[in-house]
Amino acid sequence: MDMLTFQIDTDSKIPVYQQLYAFIKKEIQSGNIKCDVKLPSKRKLSAYLNISQNTVQAAYDQLIEEGYITSIEKRGYFVCRIDNLIKLPGFYDNEAVKTDTRQEVAFDFSYHGVDHPTFPFDTWRRLTKEIINEYDKELLIPGDSFGYHRLRAALSEYLHQSRGVNCTPDQVIISSGTEILIQSLIQLFDRDKIYGIENPGYEKLNQLFISNRAKFIPISIDDKGMVPSEVRIKNPDILCLSPSHQFPSGGIMPISRRIQLLNWANESDNRYLIEDDYDSEFKYSGKPIPSLQGIDSNEKVIYMGSLSKCISPTLRVSYMVLPPHLIKLYHKKLSYILCPVPILEQKVLCSFIEKGFFERHLNKMRTVYKKKRDTLVRALTELKRGIEILGADAGLHVLIRVPNHMTEDELIESALEYGVRTYGISKYYADKSYISKKPALLLGFATMQEDEIIKAVSLLDKAWFGSV
Amino acid sequence: MDMLTFQIDTDSKIPVYQQLYAFIKKEIQSGNIKCDVKLPSKRKLSAYLNISQNTVQAAYDQLIEEGYITSIEKRGYFVCRIDNLIKLPGFYDNEAVKTDTRQEVAFDFSYHGVDHPTFPFDTWRRLTKEIINEYDKELLIPGDSFGYHRLRAALSEYLHQSRGVNCTPDQVIISSGTEILIQSLIQLFDRDKIYGIENPGYEKLNQLFISNRAKFIPISIDDKGMVPSEVRIKNPDILCLSPSHQFPSGGIMPISRRIQLLNWANESDNRYLIEDDYDSEFKYSGKPIPSLQGIDSNEKVIYMGSLSKCISPTLRVSYMVLPPHLIKLYHKKLSYILCPVPILEQKVLCSFIEKGFFERHLNKMRTVYKKKRDTLVRALTELKRGIEILGADAGLHVLIRVPNHMTEDELIESALEYGVRTYGISKYYADKSYISKKPALLLGFATMQEDEIIKAVSLLDKAWFGSV
């Protein structure tokens, strides 16, 4: 080893032992010191470099630990046998990974997001501070893998009051998103199960099933939701449906059809219904529709919901109610899954519910969103262009049909030219052959203010029908 | 319909229209009103009950919406055809779902959890309040699906400084747990890929692969980690390893073996290495071992880490660094996955890192944990029972061999009788045939204080060797 090339940099912040370690390592890596070569003894090297033996020892220790050299008793330090690292010619193009950039628009009828001005920032901030002021070791101990027990109790109570869901807190599982809950169901059930999904339906479902290599079949919907006769023909095992407010069409599944599907499920041990109740809090006329789970007495319905729409999508809290026999199976097969929601969020949310803020917030949001929906519907109707508005008086989006002979892409493109982003329904079809010849667009209104809605609709009028 | 049995409860808080709705619904459900029967007109019913027509309208509207009745123009309201809901005899036993209860012990050498007294509650609390005082609409908009960009930048910087990981922020993906990251990798790669896991190794890995129906093979480890010759014999595609500090044995993989495995990976397009760097922050002598990712120039290594050990397991933040060509594939196949970590946690963590608190905390914890480890090792050694302590001077656990002819279960049972919980290594073996005849126990020391460690060890002495 040619120590002549090694110079200690006394100005450097790097400790001397590290400089020595780095030097020797480089010599070994570059092949200047061959394998099996004996390194200088600590005494000799420390004398030569005029540093302490401890410093040399530290450098040698690090090299031993990383496996560059080995120490043989009574003989000394030797360079280890290390293969050459093969460098392959780069065949991946190395351009920097580009992040997704979307064109900015003036008005975005996005389906995602919630109203900003009415978000209860002050309350949420206050509750969060209260919780963190009580920070104690509970914050450090991994809690129940199903989620914070008090939150599960608060949710089971709320779901019973508002949705007629029958369950004990033990049946509630909390997670960071509906996708994660559905993935756990895919793992819970046998791999040969076939899932029936609404066509059109929540577009992430087919992506989820594809990624998780689960079999699925699209089932048509009409204005009343999933069509039972098609379920019988296509014969899946587990249905995924949104009976309170079909996404995206907006239809409500009537009781007769709910019973038909429950009876279908009851015909076989292997059948289940997954009820996705994603926005049932927002119904603007009459009472909320009772859940499917509430009329199931045969442990066939798995009920799922999320706080994305009624509090915020960034809260990342969803929940699932499993019937008792499936909770047992979950304990058995999936006990290793930890609740991915931080305990802070769970405690704040629990406090928000227990202290009545959640109910108050929902009531306020119902009024706000109802006004927005009414404004949108009125603005579209007053255009007198014959635009058809589909779906129930509920939720945070409407579906429209535009009678101007434009295709879905043409409608979206022309709207975009006027600075308005709209969304086609075709992406919600897993089976594209079913897409109606009459295009439909989805307009989400949660994030827009009423004056923006009015302006946006007048721009759509120009885009789709020309100026008058 | 026999309206004689309907009585308005004027004291009830339930609105009259709801009482009427509930009554008619019940009559329909019980079969007292058959299907296709015509209901009284609004005018007649309102006169009969002495309530407003609007009230009857509201009740009828709700019943229509739920599908119990239908309105036929100019003819009136008719009960819908609804099947009977079939009730199956209950064959699931209905005992309440019991939650898991473990016996309380005085001393628990748990591997999970972190030291309580030194957790930076005040700093974390202060940073959290600062962030929530700045609460703005950023808190409501779903952010980057890979995670908060500033946190990704802070992590990529930290990983470079401390672990020699080479990456841009775009290559960092943040999630709520290593399990979720591994699941996304299983979805990213083709389904026929075979995963090679350390035997013994992180026990959740085989549970994950089983649940996700991915093929895996256990590969033996020795004191230097995964054995390359066995990799070549068993021929998996993707290795999952913990080279900085093998879990649970504690061995450090030397550079020669790292290069052997990298060269193995380089022989085929389909091979990758997943480096799980779960506790590399805690190395008590010398420098941290540089990451495997840092010497990989062929985009073969996926680097994974978590803040469970170095901040808190309840924070639920983990991260993964994918090589560029895999990031592109991830964007293509898994773009629907949203970051499940709430933005608040990400911002607080980012602030914690950027302001230098993270580094300060790690330095403090290194000192604290080193003391605990030294205390434990000294206490065990001073028993003079010949207890073998395995693994490097690193991490938050030690592995011990107890030369008293007891089996693993006997060791654990006897310790429990003295109020000390210890953990057997056998559960970490996916392939149990490899379990050494000499039992080994895992003792985690992170959550115990030094005096507790000393007391617990003396109790273990009594349990395992009888009192002297």
Side-chain angles (χ1 to χ4, degrees):
Chain A
M1 178 167 70
D2 185 4
M3 291 304 310
L4 286 171
T5 51
F6 177 62
Q7 289 232 314
I8 295 171
D9 182 354
T10 43
D11 291 328
S12 170
K13 286 190 182 160
I14 300 173
V16 176
Y17 91 89
Q18 270 192 45
Q19 295 183 40
L20 179 59
Y21 143 86
F23 173 79
I24 298 173
K25 176 169 160 179
K26 207 164 167 206
E27 291 288 287
I28 295 173
Q29 283 171 333
S30 60
N32 285 347
I33 315 175
K34 304 271 179 253
C35 73
D36 298 329
V37 161
K38 184 178 186 303
L39 291 177
S41 71
K42 282 179 291 181
R43 194 177 45 80
K44 277 191 182 157
L45 193 51
S46 72
Y48 181 80
L49 292 174
N50 197 23
I51 57 179
S52 75
Q53 281 199 43
N54 281 343
T55 305
V56 179
Q57 179 79 62
Y60 278 13
D61 280 347
Q62 189 67 26
L63 291 161
I64 289 170
E65 208 160 30
E66 292 185 24
Y68 285 95
I69 69 179
T70 186
S71 162
I72 301 179
E73 211 177 324
K74 295 192 183 125
R75 293 191 47 209
Y77 298 93
F78 294 82
V79 177
C80 289
R81 189 168 290 271
I82 300 165
D83 296 345
N84 286 323
L85 183 56
I86 296 162
K87 279 190 180 6
L88 297 175
F91 52 93
Y92 300 116
D93 72 81
N94 278 335
E95 51 171 284
V97 176
K98 284 190 278 283
T99 42
D100 185 45
T101 45
R102 287 222 302 189
Q103 176 191 346
E104 284 294 316
V105 285
F107 304 102
D108 191 344
F109 279 106
S110 166
Y111 173 64
H112 303 291
V114 293
D115 182 72
H116 296 170
T118 50
F119 186 82
F121 282 122
D122 288 341
T123 307
W124 199 264
R125 190 179 299 137
R126 184 165 47 82
L127 292 179
T128 307
K129 288 182 185 178
E130 279 172 20
I131 301 289
I132 56 175
N133 277 338
E134 294 163 10
Y135 254 18
D136 61 5
K137 56 184 174 78
E138 208 179 18
L139 243 352
L140 295 186
I141 300 169
D144 196 316
S145 56
F146 278 23
Y148 179 42
H149 66 283
R150 262 176 77 172
L151 175 59
R152 293 160 72 202
L155 282 170
S156 107
E157 174 70 25
Y158 160 70
L159 290 174
H160 184 68
Q161 299 281 14
S162 65
R163 314 289 301 112
V165 170
N166 296 317
C167 72
T168 62
D170 287 331
Q171 291 171 250
V172 180
I173 297 176
I174 293 168
S175 194
S176 309
T178 320
E179 303 85 46
I180 299 182
L181 290 169
I182 292 180
Q183 278 189 324
S184 64
L185 287 176
I186 293 171
Q187 294 171 34
L188 189 70
F189 293 121
D190 296 331
R191 79 188 292 185
D192 59 347
K193 290 288 174 279
I194 303 171
Y195 294 81
I197 65 174
E198 294 163 325
N199 191 46
Y202 181 44
E203 81 280 18
K204 278 194 184 178
L205 273 185
N206 32 318
Q207 287 168 318
L208 259 167
F209 288 124
I210 291 170
S211 288
N212 284 277
R213 291 118 190 188
K215 297 175 223 168
F216 67 98
I217 302 173
I219 312 275
S220 300
I221 55 130
D222 59 20
D223 61 322
K224 297 185 176 61
M226 196 179 264
V227 178
S229 53
E230 202 172 309
V231 172
R232 289 192 174 281
I233 292 169
K234 292 188 167 174
N235 203 24
D237 302 298
I238 299 166
L239 301 181
C240 304
L241 58 162
S242 44
S244 301
H245 187 231
Q246 204 281 328
F247 183 83
S249 72
I252 294 175
M253 180 175 284
I255 184 70
S256 54
R257 199 170 274 197
R258 291 171 186 238
I259 289 177
Q260 281 182 305
L261 290 180
L262 278 169
N263 283 341
W264 166 86
N266 290 333
E267 286 166 15
S268 159
D269 282 352
N270 295 322
R271 294 178 181 166
Y272 292 93
L273 306 176
I274 300 173
E275 174 178 14
D276 184 1
D277 215 20
Y278 67 100
D279 73 354
S280 55
E281 297 84 2
F282 302 117
K283 192 164 172 301
Y284 309 123
S285 55
K287 278 171 68 281
I289 310 293
S291 65
L292 184 59
Q293 198 268 11
I295 56 172
D296 166 46
S297 49
N298 299 316
E299 300 198 20
K300 287 291 178 177
V301 177
I302 294 145
Y303 178 90
M304 213 174 271
S306 144
L307 294 158
S308 291
K309 301 264 162 261
C310 54
I311 298 185
S312 162
T314 61
L315 183 61
R316 306 303 284 129
V317 177
S318 303
Y319 47 84
M320 169 166 79
V321 176
L322 290 183
H325 77 282
L326 287 182
I327 282 281
K328 291 201 179 105
L329 189 63
Y330 193 103
H331 273 293
K332 207 169 112 176
K333 281 178 98 168
L334 304 179
S335 57
Y336 69 90
I337 295 179
L338 298 176
C339 180
V341 185
I343 189 72
L344 175 65
E345 261 69 17
Q346 296 192 62
K347 285 193 158 196
V348 176
L349 178 56
C350 185
S351 187
F352 194 67
I353 295 173
E354 285 176 349
K355 294 184 167 158
F357 294 115
F358 185 45
E359 193 177 338
R360 210 174 304 175
H361 176 66
L362 286 179
N363 290 337
K364 184 165 79 165
M365 296 324 294
R366 241 173 248 129
T367 310
V368 166
Y369 288 139
K370 177 172 167 55
K371 274 209 199 127
K372 292 190 188 197
R373 190 183 193 279
D374 288 349
T375 299
L376 177 57
V377 168
R378 188 171 47 241
L380 289 167
T381 310
E382 281 173 2
L383 294 181
K384 295 199 195 310
R385 300 289 191 183
I387 292 176
E388 214 185 325
I389 296 160
L390 307 167
D393 189 16
L396 307 179
H397 73 280
V398 295
L399 221 64
I400 60 170
R401 285 222 165 93
V402 185
N404 69 349
H405 310 299
M406 280 185 176
T407 64
E408 180 183 293
D409 285 343
E410 286 166 351
L411 288 165
I412 294 172
E413 274 308 308
S414 52
L416 213 50
E417 274 164 36
Y418 279 80
V420 182
R421 198 188 306 281
T422 56
Y423 296 83
I425 196 181
S426 63
K427 79 166 184 172
Y428 299 112
Y429 281 82
D431 185 344
K432 309 273 182 209
S433 63
Y434 281 83
I435 298 178
S436 165
K437 295 210 186 318
K438 291 196 251 176
L441 295 187
L442 188 142
L443 304 180
F445 52 79
T447 57
M448 294 176 74
Q449 303 312 308
E450 287 171 63
D451 58 326
E452 291 174 327
I453 291 173
I454 294 171
K455 282 195 195 113
V457 169
S458 74
L459 288 170
L460 289 176
D461 190 34
K462 293 199 176 103
W464 293 339
F465 299 98
S467 38
V468 176
Chain B
M1 177 166 70
D2 185 3
M3 292 303 310
L4 288 170
T5 52
F6 178 61
Q7 291 231 311
I8 296 170
D9 182 355
T10 43
D11 292 328
S12 170
K13 284 187 184 163
I14 300 174
V16 176
Y17 91 88
Q18 269 193 47
Q19 295 183 41
L20 179 58
Y21 144 87
F23 173 79
I24 298 173
K25 176 169 159 180
K26 207 162 167 209
E27 291 287 287
I28 295 173
Q29 283 172 332
S30 61
N32 286 346
I33 315 176
K34 305 269 180 253
C35 74
D36 297 329
V37 162
K38 184 179 185 306
L39 291 176
S41 69
K42 282 180 293 179
R43 197 177 41 81
K44 277 191 184 159
L45 193 52
S46 72
Y48 180 80
L49 293 173
N50 199 23
I51 56 181
S52 75
Q53 280 197 43
N54 281 345
T55 305
V56 179
Q57 180 78 63
Y60 277 15
D61 280 346
Q62 189 67 25
L63 291 161
I64 289 170
E65 206 159 32
E66 293 186 23
Y68 286 95
I69 68 177
T70 185
S71 164
I72 302 180
E73 213 178 324
K74 296 197 182 123
R75 291 191 48 207
Y77 298 92
F78 294 82
V79 177
C80 289
R81 189 168 290 274
I82 300 165
D83 296 345
N84 286 323
L85 183 55
I86 295 162
K87 278 192 184 358
L88 297 176
F91 54 91
Y92 299 116
D93 72 82
N94 278 334
E95 51 171 284
V97 177
K98 284 191 277 285
T99 41
D100 185 44
T101 44
R102 287 224 300 191
Q103 174 190 346
E104 283 294 315
V105 286
F107 304 103
D108 191 345
F109 279 107
S110 167
Y111 174 62
H112 303 290
V114 293
D115 182 73
H116 296 170
T118 47
F119 186 82
F121 283 122
D122 288 342
T123 308
W124 199 265
R125 190 178 299 138
R126 184 166 45 84
L127 292 179
T128 307
K129 287 182 186 178
E130 280 172 19
I131 301 289
I132 57 175
N133 277 338
E134 294 163 8
Y135 253 19
D136 62 6
K137 57 186 173 76
E138 208 179 19
L139 244 347
L140 295 185
I141 300 169
D144 195 316
S145 58
F146 278 23
Y148 179 43
H149 66 282
R150 262 175 78 172
L151 175 59
R152 294 161 71 204
L155 282 170
S156 108
E157 174 70 25
Y158 160 71
L159 290 173
H160 184 69
Q161 300 280 15
S162 66
R163 314 291 300 111
V165 170
N166 296 317
C167 72
T168 61
D170 287 329
Q171 290 170 252
V172 180
I173 297 177
I174 293 168
S175 194
S176 310
T178 320
E179 303 85 47
I180 299 183
L181 289 170
I182 292 179
Q183 277 189 322
S184 65
L185 286 177
I186 293 171
Q187 294 171 33
L188 189 69
F189 292 121
D190 296 332
R191 81 187 291 184
D192 60 346
K193 290 287 173 280
I194 303 171
Y195 294 81
I197 65 173
E198 295 163 326
N199 192 46
Y202 182 43
E203 79 281 19
K204 278 195 184 174
L205 272 185
N206 32 316
Q207 286 167 316
L208 260 166
F209 288 124
I210 291 171
S211 289
N212 284 278
R213 291 120 189 185
K215 297 175 223 168
F216 66 98
I217 301 173
I219 312 275
S220 300
I221 55 132
D222 60 20
D223 61 322
K224 297 183 175 65
M226 197 179 264
V227 178
S229 53
E230 204 173 308
V231 172
R232 288 192 175 281
I233 292 169
K234 292 188 167 174
N235 203 23
D237 301 300
I238 299 166
L239 301 181
C240 305
L241 57 161
S242 44
S244 301
H245 188 230
Q246 203 281 329
F247 182 83
S249 71
I252 294 175
M253 182 175 284
I255 183 70
S256 54
R257 200 171 271 196
R258 292 171 184 236
I259 289 177
Q260 281 182 304
L261 290 179
L262 278 169
N263 284 341
W264 166 85
N266 290 334
E267 288 166 12
S268 161
D269 281 352
N270 295 320
R271 294 178 180 166
Y272 292 94
L273 306 176
I274 300 173
E275 173 176 17
D276 184 2
D277 215 20
Y278 67 102
D279 72 353
S280 55
E281 297 83 1
F282 302 116
K283 191 162 173 300
Y284 308 123
S285 53
K287 275 171 73 277
I289 310 293
S291 65
L292 183 60
Q293 198 270 9
I295 55 172
D296 166 43
S297 47
N298 299 315
E299 299 196 22
K300 285 292 179 178
V301 177
I302 295 145
Y303 178 91
M304 212 175 271
S306 143
L307 294 157
S308 292
K309 301 263 163 263
C310 55
I311 300 184
S312 163
T314 61
L315 183 61
R316 304 306 282 127
V317 177
S318 303
Y319 47 83
M320 169 164 80
V321 176
L322 291 183
H325 77 281
L326 288 183
I327 283 282
K328 290 200 180 106
L329 189 63
Y330 193 102
H331 272 293
K332 207 168 112 178
K333 280 178 97 164
L334 303 179
S335 57
Y336 68 91
I337 296 179
L338 299 176
C339 182
V341 185
I343 190 72
L344 175 65
E345 261 70 17
Q346 296 192 62
K347 285 193 159 199
V348 175
L349 178 56
C350 184
S351 187
F352 194 67
I353 296 173
E354 285 177 348
K355 293 183 170 161
F357 294 114
F358 185 46
E359 191 176 341
R360 209 174 305 174
H361 176 67
L362 286 179
N363 289 338
K364 185 166 79 164
M365 296 323 293
R366 242 173 248 128
T367 310
V368 167
Y369 288 138
K370 176 173 167 54
K371 275 210 198 128
K372 294 191 188 198
R373 190 183 193 278
D374 288 349
T375 301
L376 177 58
V377 169
R378 188 172 45 242
L380 289 167
T381 310
E382 281 174 3
L383 294 180
K384 295 202 195 309
R385 299 289 192 183
I387 292 176
E388 215 184 324
I389 297 162
L390 308 166
D393 189 17
L396 306 179
H397 74 279
V398 294
L399 220 64
I400 60 170
R401 285 223 165 91
V402 185
N404 69 350
H405 310 299
M406 279 185 179
T407 64
E408 180 183 291
D409 285 343
E410 285 166 352
L411 286 166
I412 294 172
E413 273 311 303
S414 52
L416 214 49
E417 275 163 36
Y418 280 80
V420 183
R421 199 187 307 278
T422 55
Y423 296 82
I425 196 181
S426 61
K427 78 167 187 171
Y428 299 111
Y429 281 83
D431 185 344
K432 309 271 180 211
S433 63
Y434 281 83
I435 298 179
S436 165
K437 296 212 185 320
K438 293 197 249 177
L441 294 188
L442 188 143
L443 303 180
F445 52 79
T447 57
M448 294 176 75
Q449 303 313 306
E450 286 172 64
D451 59 326
E452 292 175 325
I453 291 172
I454 294 169
K455 283 195 195 113
V457 169
S458 73
L459 288 169
L460 289 176
D461 191 34
K462 294 198 176 102
W464 293 340
F465 299 99
S467 37
V468 176

